[in-house]
């Protein structure tokens, strides 16, 4: 079965041009101007941008907070209609179980036959008693070449100390596994959280008060120092504040292989959202906390300059009514995280490209090409070129959308971007050559998504030379 996408404007991270894309089965077989090719199906993309499907390298479909669980892979049709064709899920190592077994089992039980977009995984080290560091060398073969450790969350089973980070890095660097950290100082947060509660300040806003920028800056700088100590590359997830970006910039200037991402909500929302009345602020409780306008401005600059290399959603689907309300009397019990996979692509186009902050090439790079490369998917995903998977979004820039939870597929009872205006609309989405979104509606099937094995030596290892 072949398809020819004609007359669109093809945009990649490198260039844009009017042209056609020929697809044979699941793959792109030709790209060029006025392709002289016959196909079983011709798709007219006149007036539309032809973009690589989004790669969201930071999502949570299995996260649990105080025993309460997020919506799972059954909601990934939301990613599809939002222009994202690959998601990379963080899976906690189960207590007493190996990292690979934890991911394998989760994959079989909850993802295969369910996901509506393609998927890959990051492991999260939570139990250092299982020989988990020795397991790192087996991760590339299993197709899980990235591992995260949580520096935040004192007292929680998934918190990682410096020694765990160092040990993981020293194993990872020899086999091309990328170590990621959630960089916030757990001890300092604990001091401020207790202080806030003792003073009777228990509302959602104090989530941000108890996690000021310095806790992120300190942990980011420390993680960079541990990477230096271990002579290893490092990827810092969800960077939200100016000084943390500066730490990464300095490390890059020193020639270190240190990279980071930011997320849609740090670019478009801020601390004032946490102050919304009637517990509405709880909708915006995520970690790191939302920052100030100056940080937002600096983060836009950071993605434009390449100091941060990707924009993720950090999608985390907790309901406001039943789940966020667990913290009604104490912000420490509000599940951390907010939904966002459906809107990342359109919002970055609107406020990034249409807002004059980034070019179309940078947009593609930040939401698709580089996230694929970071995670060892760069030979199949994130680009419109011969040999790549035919994951393609047709985006109509002339349409307008008002974001509303009424029309959302995320399966959560609120949307962080309620009422935001979006310029342009995802019209059609192809997943490996198969049309899964048509006229903006999901037309795919449950289980259409496939596991994509990540390869080791992702982008963090380009230019990395072990001493
Ligand atoms: Zn996250």
């Amino acid at each position: 079965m072949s398809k020819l996408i004609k007359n669109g404007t093809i945009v990649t991270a490198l260039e844009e041009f009017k042209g056609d894309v020929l697809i044979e089965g699941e793959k792109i077989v030709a790209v060029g101007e006025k392709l002289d090719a016959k196909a079983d199906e011709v798709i007219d993309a006149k007036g539309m941008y032809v973009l690589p499907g989004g790669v969201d390298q930071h999502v949570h479909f299995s996260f649990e907070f105080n025993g309460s669980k997020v919506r799972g892979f059954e909601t990934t049709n939301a990613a599809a209609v939002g222009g994202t064709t690959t998601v990379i899920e963080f899976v906690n190592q189960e207590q007493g179980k190996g990292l690979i077994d934890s991911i394998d089992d989760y994959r079989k039980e909850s993802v295969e036959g369910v996901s509506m977009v393609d998927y890959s995984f990051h492991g999260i080290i939570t139990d250092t008693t299982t020989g988990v560091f020795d397991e790192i060398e087996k991760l590339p073969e299993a197709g899980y070449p990235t591992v995260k450790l949580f520096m935040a969350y004192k007292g929680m089973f998934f918190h990682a100390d410096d020694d765990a980070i160092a040990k993981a890095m020293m194993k990872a660097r020899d086999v091309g596994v990328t170590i990621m950290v959630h960089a916030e100082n757990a001890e300092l947060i604990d001091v401020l959280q207790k202080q806030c509660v003792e003073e009777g300040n228990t509302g959602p806003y104090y989530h941000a008060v108890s996690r000021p920028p310095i806790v992120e800056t300190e942990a980011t700088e420390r993680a960079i120092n541990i990477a230096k100590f271990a002579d290893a590359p490092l990827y810092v997830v969800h960077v939200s504040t100016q000084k943390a970006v500066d730490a990464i910039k300095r490390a890059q200037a020193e020639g270190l292989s240190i990279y980071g991402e930011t997320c849609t909500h740090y670019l478009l929302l801020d601390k004032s959202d946490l102050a919304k009345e009637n517990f509405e602020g709880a909708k915006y409780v995520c970690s790191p906390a939302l920052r100030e306008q100056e940080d937002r401005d600096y983060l836009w600059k950071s993605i434009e300059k390449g100091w941060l290399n990707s924009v993720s959603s950090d999608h985390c689907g907790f309901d406001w009514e039943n789940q966020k309300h667990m913290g009604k009397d104490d912000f420490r019990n509000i599940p951390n995280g907010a939904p966002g996979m459906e809107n990342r692509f359109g919002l970055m186009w609107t406020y990034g490209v249409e807002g004059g902050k980034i070019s179309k090439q940078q947009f593609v790079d930040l939401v698709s090409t580089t996230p694929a490369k970071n995670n060892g998917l760069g030979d199949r995903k994130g680009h419109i070129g011969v040999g790549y998977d035919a994951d393609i979004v047709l985006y109509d820039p002339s349409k307008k959308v008002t974001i509303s939870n009424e029309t959302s597929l995320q399966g959560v009872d609120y949307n962080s971007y309620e009422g935001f205006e979006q310029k342009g609309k995802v019209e059609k989405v192809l997943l490996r050559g198969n049309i899964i979104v048509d006229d903006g509606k999901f037309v795919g099937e449950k289980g259409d998504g496939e596991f994509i094995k990540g390869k080791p030596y992702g982008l963090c290892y380009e230019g990395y030379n072990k001493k």
Side-chain angles (χ1 to χ4, degrees):
M1 179 76 187
S2 57
K3 291 188 178 77
L4 181 63
I5 302 174
K6 281 188 79 74
N7 305 320
T9 301
I10 298 161
V11 185
T12 70
L14 305 168
E15 57 182 345
E16 68 181 85
F17 55 94
K18 286 232 184 319
D20 308 333
V21 182
L22 182 64
I23 299 160
E24 196 69 63
E26 300 195 337
K27 298 281 184 187
I28 297 169
V29 294
V31 182
E33 288 172 42
K34 297 196 176 106
L35 286 183
D36 182 24
K38 287 215 168 60
D40 301 321
E41 189 180 345
V42 175
I43 299 167
D44 187 14
K46 193 162 186 291
M48 292 203 247
Y49 287 108
V50 180
L51 308 164
V55 177
D56 196 342
Q57 67 178 1
H58 191 154
V59 296
H60 298 278
F61 295 119
S62 56
F63 189 61
E64 263 185 65
F65 193 86
N66 289 346
S68 199
K69 214 171 171 197
V70 291
R71 301 296 161 281
F73 270 89
E74 70 281 359
T75 58
T76 44
N77 48 344
V81 297
T84 289
T85 48
T86 304
V87 292
I88 310 180
E89 158 73 2
F90 284 96
V91 182
N92 273 341
Q93 176 195 6
E94 282 180 51
Q95 300 303 278
K97 207 189 223 183
L99 197 51
I100 293 172
D101 282 348
S102 297
I103 306 173
D104 279 351
D105 291 352
Y106 172 68
R107 191 177 121 199
K108 284 181 196 122
E109 281 160 23
S110 309
V111 191
E112 284 176 7
V114 178
S115 187
M116 288 163 263
V117 293
D118 283 356
Y119 50 89
S120 201
F121 300 96
H122 313 283
I124 299 178
I125 291 179
T126 68
D127 185 351
T128 56
T129 66
T130 63
V132 72
F133 301 118
D134 291 328
E135 225 190 324
I136 288 175
E137 65 181 46
K138 300 187 190 108
L139 288 171
E141 203 193 316
Y144 311 134
T146 50
V147 166
K148 183 169 84 168
L149 296 101
F150 277 106
M151 299 171 85
Y153 301 112
K154 181 180 160 97
M156 299 276 198
F157 74 89
F158 48 83
H159 168 77
D161 290 326
D162 294 352
D163 68 312
I165 298 167
K167 283 173 188 162
M169 283 178 173
M170 289 159 90
K171 289 284 185 183
R173 66 175 188 209
D174 293 334
V175 291
V177 165
T178 297
I179 296 295
M180 304 178 149
V181 292
H182 172 136
E184 285 188 296
N185 183 312
E187 303 282 337
L188 301 183
I189 293 167
D190 190 57
V191 170
L192 288 182
Q193 283 185 333
K194 284 180 177 145
Q195 194 180 314
C196 285
V197 173
E198 270 164 27
E199 289 166 358
N201 295 320
T202 57
Y205 185 73
Y206 292 92
H207 172 74
V209 174
S210 64
R211 311 176 95 93
I214 182 72
V215 306
E216 181 183 344
T217 307
E218 188 283 328
T220 306
E221 289 173 349
R222 180 157 39 98
I224 292 168
N225 280 322
I226 299 170
K228 274 194 210 177
F229 166 88
D231 186 23
L234 166 68
Y235 198 86
V236 185
V237 298
H238 51 44
V239 178
S240 74
T241 193
Q242 181 167 348
K243 290 208 164 69
V245 176
D246 287 343
I248 292 169
K249 266 172 73 180
R250 279 197 304 276
Q252 289 172 349
E254 277 182 52
L256 298 170
S257 294
I258 312 282
Y259 299 87
E261 66 171 8
T262 190
C263 307
T264 332
H265 42 285
Y266 298 118
L267 295 163
L268 296 173
L269 304 171
D270 61 47
K271 210 172 156 186
S272 65
D273 290 298
L274 282 154
K276 286 185 179 165
E277 289 184 346
N278 301 319
F279 204 59
E280 296 273 334
K283 294 175 177 174
Y284 305 92
V285 168
C286 59
S287 294
L290 297 178
R291 304 298 186 200
E292 313 278 354
Q293 182 64 44
E294 302 89 81
D295 291 295
R296 282 168 51 171
D297 294 343
Y298 200 73
L299 291 172
W300 279 111
K301 189 175 168 186
S302 301
I303 58 171
E304 200 275 324
K305 297 284 185 196
W307 303 329
L308 298 176
N309 78 9
S310 301
V311 179
S312 306
S313 70
D314 199 357
H315 174 86
C316 207
F318 286 115
D319 271 335
W320 179 68
E321 192 69 51
N322 297 313
Q323 297 181 294
K324 291 280 187 180
H325 272 76
M326 295 191 313
K328 187 86 183 77
D329 303 315
D330 184 340
F331 66 87
R332 293 175 297 181
N333 297 327
I334 301 171
N336 283 206
M341 67 170 150
E342 191 168 349
N343 304 114
R344 178 187 70 121
F345 197 91
L347 287 169
M348 288 307 296
W349 179 274
T350 305
Y351 296 90
V353 177
E354 298 279 356
K357 292 194 163 73
I358 52 173
S359 69
K360 294 191 220 57
Q361 285 66 43
Q362 287 175 317
F363 164 84
V364 167
D365 195 34
L366 289 160
V367 306
S368 182
T369 313
T370 291
K373 288 182 185 170
N374 285 332
N375 299 286
L377 309 175
D379 59 341
R380 285 186 65 172
K381 303 292 188 187
H383 182 59
I384 295 179
V386 173
Y388 281 78
D389 285 2
D391 297 342
I392 293 172
V393 173
L394 300 194
Y395 198 78
D396 184 345
S398 68
K399 294 202 172 146
K400 278 187 184 156
V401 180
T402 303
I403 293 173
S404 163
N405 205 48
E406 300 238 315
T407 53
S408 168
L409 298 177
Q410 287 175 145
V412 183
D413 66 357
Y414 76 99
N415 189 307
S416 309
Y417 307 100
E418 189 72 33
F420 273 59
E421 298 294 332
Q422 180 182 304
K423 287 187 184 168
K425 185 173 174 244
V426 173
E427 280 295 325
K428 257 190 220 304
V429 177
L430 285 80
L431 176 68
R432 280 176 284 102
N434 183 24
I435 296 173
I436 59 165
V437 174
D438 202 6
D439 196 18
K441 306 266 187 311
F442 183 72
V443 296
E445 304 267 344
K446 199 175 163 192
D448 275 349
E450 264 181 19
F451 170 51
I452 309 295
K453 264 184 141 182
K455 295 201 171 111
Y457 297 98
L459 185 144
C460 276
Y461 283 85
E462 282 176 18
Y464 163 73
N465 293 304
K466 202 179 150 201
K467 288 193 186 75

